[in-house]
Each structure stands twice: as C-alpha cells, then as structure tokens.
Amino acid sequence: MVQINKDACKGCGICIAMCPVKILVFSDELNSRGVHFPKITQEEKCTKCENCMIYCPDFAVVVKKDEK
Amino acid sequence: MKNTVGHPLKKYFRGEINYTTCSGCGNGIISQSILRAIDEIAIIFDQIAFVSGIGCSGWIPSPSFNTDVLHVTHGRSIAFATGLKLAAPQMKVIVCAGDGDTGAIGGNHFIHAARRNIDLTVVCVNNGIFGMTGGQVAPTTPYNSVTTTTPYGSIERPFDLSNLAIAAGATFVARWTTYHARSLKNSIKKAIEHKGFSFIEVISQCPVQYGKVIGMRNDPVSMLMHYKECAVNINKAKNMSADELKDKIIVGELVEKKNIPELTDEIKRLRREASRK
C-alpha cells in the first residue's frame, strides 16, 4: 500500500519518474505548500519496489509491504 | 507540519519530519540512506553522534535527528568530530559534510583526519557549488562552469575529493550519486562498521543553484537521470580509456584497506606504554 503525505510534498516529481510501472501522476489539486502532489492510479499494479519512498527527499511517501 | 502517513524512519527524528530544503534537493535522499543504514545495522541510535558544518548539508542531521548532533562552525565539522571521537571513543561519529567542509575551508582537517586514520564516517554531500550562499564557485565546480562569481566560466580545475582521500590515506572510500540510493545505503553501512577513516562522496543534485549552471534549473528528475547516464562503475572503468571516462562519474567502493592502525587505539596503546615507565 502506497501512502502519500500530501502536505509534506514539495512537488519535485522524483517519485513519479522513479516508479518502474508509472502508476504515480501529479494530481490536479494543490496542497498547503501550493504544489501539485502525486496521486496513485492503478494501485494493484504496484510492485512494492519502494523506489518512491527511497527517493522522496521529503519523507512524504511510505510503502507498506505487510498489508494485504 | 504533521506527517500523517507514519514513516518507518520517523523514530529517528525529533518531533515531526520537516526538511526545509528546496524542492528536489538530494539532502533528503542522503538522509534517508544514512537512517536506513543505521536501521539495518540495528545499532542504538544514542551511541551515534552526528557532526555537521555550515551549508545545506549541515541541515541533514541538525536539528532533525533525535541523538547528539553538533552543528559547528564553517568547515570545522571534521575537526570537531576528531575531538569528539578522541574524548568519547565508544561513540560512533558520523560527519555530514559538504564540499566546503571537505574541499574548501575544511580541506586541511579532512586530509589530516584521513592521514591519522581516525575512526570517523564522513558522508560528503558534493553538489558542486556553494548552494546556500547563492551559487558561488566551489573547489568542486567543474571547469568552465558559469556561476554567480564566475560569469565568464570558472578557470580552475575541480578537486576529486575521493582521490584526495585515497592519497591522504583514508582506509574506506566510496563514491555514489543520489541516483544510487540503495548502493549508497550499503556503503554507509560498511563505512559505519569499518574501523578507521571512511569517506563517502555523494554526488548530489542542487536543482536551484547548480541546476541553472547545467541548464536543468528546478528539474531534479533530469539531474538524477544525468547521473544515471554519467555513472560508470569502478569495475567497468578499469578497462576503459581516459578518453572514454571524460565527463563520467566513477562510482563504487574505490578503496577498502584493513588492519591499518587506528588513532584512538594508538592513543590507548601509547597511554598503556607511558604508564609503565
């Protein structure tokens, strides 16, 4: 399960570029910092590689492996 | 700002995780690599002391990490860390230095710490520019780069910090970029467990100040992909000519030497011998 803390996001887009199955996209909404944060589409395709979490410079993305 | 998703590394932070760095800065990736390395070693976090200097890199441990953190004066992070390690040899000391701390104002402390082989882990965030002060030319800025202080291109050749560390006698040297976050974590893990001076140079993106030098302003994704293309592993680089390696970044664990006397052990031995006389 991929969780995004939208208010910690600074909108750099690294998670979107690093996702190997390209399921992250910029959302149309703005967060409290005034940037477009990422949102998940087609979560069932997620491989749980944790790239989005490892490369997020703002600790805004968390991938939880245990949940079914 | 409250982190609502409960990050697994949250336990290492003082309060909420709130980095004040620019959007897309490499500091956060390096910070996460350091913490994941510590998490995997399963060392008690209170046994680690962090030392950082002035500059963007100084804000990696300070004030976020929930352990002893010394945020010290310009370029003196390795000097403070040397003192800390000698006074408290049981502590693991990790220095989060910038290219200013190791190549510019703190250059002398750096080479002498490497020569003494004191048990420090130095993680050097090399973004190739003085980012916090407005993008001035640094000793690591590539030749012919246009910065705020070199409007016609820099005429000085940059330092190769890893080779400097090797020449000065460091016993563990690795170089990675922020693109290689997983390998970086493994090297930091090795460096923390290594007895002796270990130096890890991380080529990190500064999309605001260095990005405009290479025409990738506010575009951290292009900078990461640029690192991916430029990086050549040390094992592959051994068979390549100098022309092929031009403008490439050689990454990997460059040096690992064992059984070289370490400074705090030497001082203990000296004390024992002196007390016998």
Side-chain angles (χ1 to χ4, degrees):
Chain A
M1 196 170 113
V2 182
Q3 290 179 300
I4 293 161
N5 179 16
K6 61 178 186 181
D7 284 330
C9 177
K10 291 175 188 158
C12 62
I14 292 177
C15 54
I16 295 171
M18 287 297 169
C19 180
V21 286
K22 303 290 173 208
I23 57 167
L24 288 164
V25 290
F26 279 119
S27 77
D28 297 330
E29 296 167 63
L30 293 174
N31 68 3
S32 60
R33 294 180 197 257
V35 300
H36 293 286
F37 55 88
K39 67 172 185 192
I40 307 140
T41 58
Q42 300 170 292
E43 198 174 336
E44 67 281 357
K45 277 194 185 171
C46 177
T47 60
K48 297 194 171 54
C49 68
E50 299 188 337
N51 263 10
C52 49
M53 178 163 88
I54 287 167
Y55 286 99
C56 178
D58 295 294
F59 296 73
V61 188
V62 173
V63 180
K64 287 191 175 151
K65 280 192 170 173
D66 302 331
E67 283 187 39
K68 281 169 189 162
Chain B
M1 198 161 287
K2 201 164 169 17
N3 196 329
T4 49
V5 295
H7 202 282
L9 299 172
K10 165 85 174 57
K11 56 188 172 187
Y12 296 114
F13 281 81
R14 220 180 281 261
E16 293 300 326
I17 306 173
N18 188 14
Y19 270 109
T20 52
T21 50
C22 311
S23 170
C25 177
N27 273 10
I29 300 174
I30 298 165
S31 168
Q32 213 180 118
S33 300
I34 295 173
L35 290 177
R36 280 187 299 122
I38 289 168
D39 203 47
E40 285 187 15
I41 298 174
I43 185 172
I44 300 166
F45 201 44
D46 276 352
Q47 286 180 350
I48 302 174
F50 286 89
V51 186
S52 68
I54 303 298
C56 295
S57 62
W59 297 104
I60 290 179
S62 159
S64 329
F65 290 1
N66 193 12
T67 180
D68 295 329
V69 179
L70 289 107
H71 197 153
V72 304
T73 46
H74 285 88
R76 308 292 170 242
S77 50
I78 294 174
F80 270 72
T82 304
L84 174 61
K85 182 71 191 176
L86 290 178
Q90 76 282 4
M91 299 286 277
K92 288 269 179 205
V93 183
I94 301 178
V95 182
C96 292
D99 41 342
D101 284 322
T102 45
I105 185 168
N108 215 5
H109 301 301
F110 168 57
I111 53 172
H112 286 282
R115 174 177 69 88
R116 289 170 183 142
N117 194 27
I118 182 162
D119 187 15
L120 301 178
T121 303
V122 179
V123 180
C124 172
V125 183
N126 183 357
N127 54 15
I129 205 157
F130 289 135
M132 184 184 263
T133 47
Q136 290 87 357
V137 67
T140 45
T141 308
Y143 179 71
N144 209 12
S145 299
V146 176
T147 68
T148 45
T149 45
T150 55
Y152 305 106
S154 64
I155 50 171
E156 297 161 0
R157 257 150 274 267
F159 256 141
D160 183 337
L161 292 175
S162 292
N163 278 339
L164 184 66
I166 294 167
T171 46
F172 182 89
V173 181
R175 189 200 281 122
W176 296 105
T177 75
T178 41
Y179 180 81
H180 305 88
R182 284 186 169 90
S183 311
L184 171 65
K185 177 209 67 186
N186 293 337
S187 280
I188 293 174
K189 227 165 100 180
K190 266 192 191 171
I192 292 172
E193 287 170 337
H194 177 80
K195 183 99 181 153
F197 188 83
S198 34
F199 179 71
I200 298 157
E201 181 184 1
V202 193
I203 313 287
S204 169
Q205 77 273 23
C206 173
V208 175
Q209 301 293 4
Y210 192 69
K212 66 186 176 192
V213 172
I214 56 170
M216 295 178 186
R217 188 169 187 168
N218 296 341
D219 192 358
V221 173
S222 299
M223 292 184 82
L224 278 172
M225 293 305 155
H226 174 69
Y227 294 150
K228 183 191 177 186
E229 284 160 21
C230 288
V232 181
N233 196 286
I234 177 79
N235 297 325
K236 201 178 161 196
K238 276 175 190 161
N239 304 322
M240 286 167 77
S241 68
D243 275 349
E244 285 176 312
L245 288 174
K246 198 170 176 269
D247 298 327
K248 297 280 182 199
I249 305 167
I250 299 172
V251 296
E253 286 169 7
L254 309 178
V255 164
E256 189 176 4
K257 289 183 212 157
K258 284 183 178 150
N259 304 325
I260 294 192
E262 193 271 328
L263 186 71
T264 49
D265 286 347
E266 289 286 285
I267 286 184
K268 269 184 213 156
R269 181 182 61 82
L270 204 69
R271 275 202 189 128
R272 262 200 316 274
E273 280 176 17
S275 61
R276 258 187 238 132
K277 281 171 190 163

